[in-house]
Amino acid sequence: MPAQQAPSGDSDKSQVSLWERLARPAPAPRTTLTADRIAETAVAIADAEGLDAVTMRRLAGELGVAPMAAYRYVSGKDELIELMVDFVYGQLPLNAPSEGWRDTMRALAVHLRAMHLAHPWTVRAATPFSLSPNQLAVPERAFAALAEHGLDADTTMAVFRTVTGYVHGSVATEVTLETLRRERGWSDGDQTRAGLAPRMSWLMGTGRYPSYQRYLHEATRKDDPDWQFETGLDCVLDGIAAHFGL
């Protein structure tokens, strides 16, 4: 990724995006530092310790450069997070062959979930309004797959947001559960249920939740998040197909 020293004035920085600056011809490098190296190092810190552990000073230490070196590429932590999000989105296999809109949307959903689970901090950091090159490539791929089916622009966006909204909600639940387990020292589903048993037993004992109690007694896939995610995803895609006759 080409890089350019950020403009010196704060007012200039507010007018020129990170991506426009990085796309400009780069000056002769003074160090081996690159935008990709910055992003990769920051992502490694966030994956291991969480997003709050990523600071410009910590980053400089991991890179073995002067504290101000990274500021040639990013103006501060906000832009650093943008760079990190774009970096992980750039690892999505968007060019894999597909057999139509449903195959494309399903593959996008599965890959997005895998990305978020590999980098849980992206659930908080990656928003639909980040507008980075690699992130914007996701709707571009989806829109292109839907283009031949006669949907207008607003409907196309609604379909895309329905699928990605499902992904984000499902992943947020998975990440929250993993965070709870880590904080409580629970290693698996059995330990989680045992830890929650006193509260759940009281609630079920009130008799107000017979349908949920039936689920607790009969469900066999409580610890199969892949099946849960893909079953829900198929329901979403089936609904889209039926509603629009796709």
Side-chain angles (χ1 to χ4, degrees):
M1 184 185 297
Q4 167 69 28
Q5 184 172 357
S8 57
D10 290 339
S11 60
D12 290 338
K13 288 182 181 179
S14 68
Q15 300 299 317
V16 180
S17 76
L18 167 67
W19 310 110
E20 182 178 348
R21 296 201 313 272
L22 291 177
R24 292 172 176 172
R30 301 177 210 171
T31 69
T32 59
L33 199 60
T34 64
D36 275 348
R37 187 175 167 220
I38 290 170
E40 185 175 17
T41 301
V43 165
I45 296 171
D47 288 349
E49 303 176 39
L51 195 60
D52 292 339
V54 180
T55 66
M56 299 299 286
R57 183 173 295 277
R58 170 72 182 280
L59 179 63
E62 295 288 337
L63 290 167
V65 299
M68 294 302 293
Y71 285 99
R72 296 181 59 238
Y73 296 85
V74 295
S75 62
K77 187 169 180 177
D78 287 347
E79 284 194 347
L80 176 59
I81 291 173
E82 284 189 68
L83 198 66
M84 294 163 62
V85 169
D86 189 69
F87 182 83
V88 297
Y89 267 85
Q91 298 171 343
L92 292 173
L94 297 183
N95 294 323
S98 63
E99 299 180 0
W101 76 270
R102 182 177 180 128
D103 187 34
T104 298
M105 297 301 290
R106 197 177 198 283
L108 284 176
V110 169
H111 291 313
L112 282 170
R113 172 179 177 252
M115 181 201 77
H116 285 304
L117 292 179
H119 310 285
W121 52 271
T122 59
V123 174
R124 173 160 58 109
T127 76
F129 312 106
S130 298
L131 299 182
S132 78
N134 287 323
Q135 194 170 5
L136 202 57
V138 175
E140 177 66 23
R141 182 78 171 92
F143 291 0
L146 291 163
E148 61 188 68
H149 295 283
L151 302 179
D152 62 49
D154 293 316
T155 303
T156 299
M157 176 60 85
V159 169
F160 173 73
R161 285 185 173 173
T162 296
V163 175
T164 55
Y166 169 74
V167 174
H168 192 273
S170 296
V171 170
T173 299
E174 290 188 67
V175 169
T176 299
L177 177 58
E178 286 305 310
T179 300
L180 176 66
R181 286 176 173 170
R182 185 171 60 253
E183 291 173 347
R184 302 289 180 87
W186 300 334
S187 61
D188 55 24
D190 288 338
Q191 288 190 3
T192 302
R193 284 183 287 276
L196 296 175
R199 179 176 298 186
M200 184 64 77
S201 296
W202 183 88
L203 288 168
M204 294 302 105
T206 66
R208 289 182 284 178
Y209 313 102
S211 297
Y212 197 88
Q213 189 165 27
R214 177 173 171 266
Y215 160 76
L216 292 176
H217 288 308
E218 298 181 10
T220 60
R221 294 185 179 270
K222 297 173 186 174
D223 299 323
D224 190 348
D226 293 341
W227 180 89
Q228 294 169 10
F229 175 81
E230 295 193 21
T231 299
L233 176 60
D234 285 337
C235 290
V236 171
L237 295 174
D238 285 346
I240 292 170
H243 186 79
F244 295 108
L246 301 180

